[in-house]
Amino acid sequence: MKGIESLIKLHKFELDEKRRMLKELETVQANIVGAIDALEKQIINEQNSARQSEVVYAYGAFADASIKRREALQQSLVESTRQVEAARDVVTESFGELKKYEITKAVRDRAAEKEASRREGIFMDELGITVHSRKYNP
């Protein structure tokens, strides 16, 4: 019985580690989405500024750099999304393994409890028979 408890503890630890890694990947993904949103806002602000001032000539360089940065961020987001999905699959699989061990332990515990109850019943029956026989057969 001790072996299954050790396996459960080990799998819980591994599941916690995999969840932590998934959380880190989701944080990275959220940061990329935030960077994309910030870039979009910056582009809109620069467009408005370029329309209202004489620095229109500098906007072209900014637009080129922004397009390249947006593409890089989009690629990072795609890769991050792929990693998050893979990590979710790993967490799901690990959770399934943990549940398998927990269910096995529960089944074993119930069987042991049932056996202990059966043995106690046998003992109580024998005790009752002994007391009864001593009472009526001195």
Side-chain angles (χ1 to χ4, degrees):
M1 197 58 90
K2 190 72 172 168
I4 193 88
E5 291 171 3
S6 297
L7 282 172
I8 290 172
K9 187 182 273 189
L10 174 67
H11 275 77
K12 279 184 181 180
F13 176 76
E14 288 176 353
L15 179 61
D16 289 341
E17 285 297 308
K18 290 172 183 174
R19 284 180 175 160
R20 184 186 58 75
M21 290 174 59
L22 174 60
K23 179 68 175 158
E24 288 175 6
L25 289 171
E26 288 174 337
T27 301
V28 168
Q29 185 179 28
N31 289 341
I32 292 170
V33 169
I36 290 171
D37 291 342
L39 180 62
E40 294 297 328
K41 288 177 185 176
Q42 185 181 11
I43 290 171
I44 291 170
N45 288 338
E46 289 296 323
Q47 286 174 345
N48 291 335
S49 295
R51 286 185 199 133
Q52 298 172 358
S53 67
E54 291 84 34
V55 291
V56 171
Y57 62 89
Y59 178 75
F62 170 78
D64 289 339
S66 295
I67 290 170
K68 288 178 184 175
R69 179 141 193 250
R70 182 188 302 149
E71 289 172 355
L73 286 171
Q74 291 292 345
Q75 288 175 347
S76 295
L77 182 60
V78 167
E79 178 62 23
S80 175
T81 302
R82 187 193 60 74
Q83 289 176 349
V84 166
E85 290 303 318
R88 282 186 181 142
D89 290 343
V90 168
V91 167
T92 301
E93 183 180 317
S94 182
F95 182 76
E97 286 290 316
L98 174 62
K99 281 299 164 190
K100 189 171 26 174
Y101 289 117
E102 288 177 340
I103 290 169
T104 300
K105 182 183 181 302
V107 168
R108 286 182 180 180
D109 289 346
R110 276 187 300 234
E113 202 173 285
K114 188 175 180 180
E115 178 63 20
S117 178
R118 186 185 71 78
R119 287 183 182 190
E120 182 180 358
I122 291 171
F123 174 75
M124 294 304 276
D125 289 346
E126 289 176 359
L127 183 64
I129 291 170
T130 303
V131 168
H132 180 72
S133 67
R134 284 184 185 169
K135 189 175 188 180
Y136 292 107
N137 296 331

